[in-house]
Amino acid sequence: MGYAERSRDARSRSFGQALAEMNTALHREIGAFRARALTDPTIRLVLPPGYVLPGADAR
């Protein structure tokens, strides 16, 4: 396999790894926000009528 193919494969692997890491970090931050949103008075959630946020008391 020539340099161009190896280079392209390496870029593809790097891009895939970066996407996987970003996805993991995004899910971690979403979880942290969800937990914080329940107790942080500076966060005001505007939810659709009838939607109940899991883990939240009616407020």
Side-chain angles (χ1 to χ4, degrees), residues 28-40 43 53-55:
R28 183 177 51 245
E29 290 303 315
I30 288 171
F33 175 79
R34 284 180 174 164
R36 193 172 64 251
L38 297 175
T39 58
D40 188 335
I43 298 175
L53 189 63

Side-chain angles (χ1 to χ4, degrees), residues 3 5-6 9 12 14 19 22 24 27 29-30 34 37 39-40 50 53 57:
Y3 172 77
E5 290 84 9
R6 289 192 317 265
D9 289 344
S12 292
S14 294
L19 285 177
M22 286 175 28
T24 299
H27 283 279
E29 290 303 315
I30 288 171
R34 284 180 174 164
T39 58
D40 188 335
L53 189 63
D57 296 331

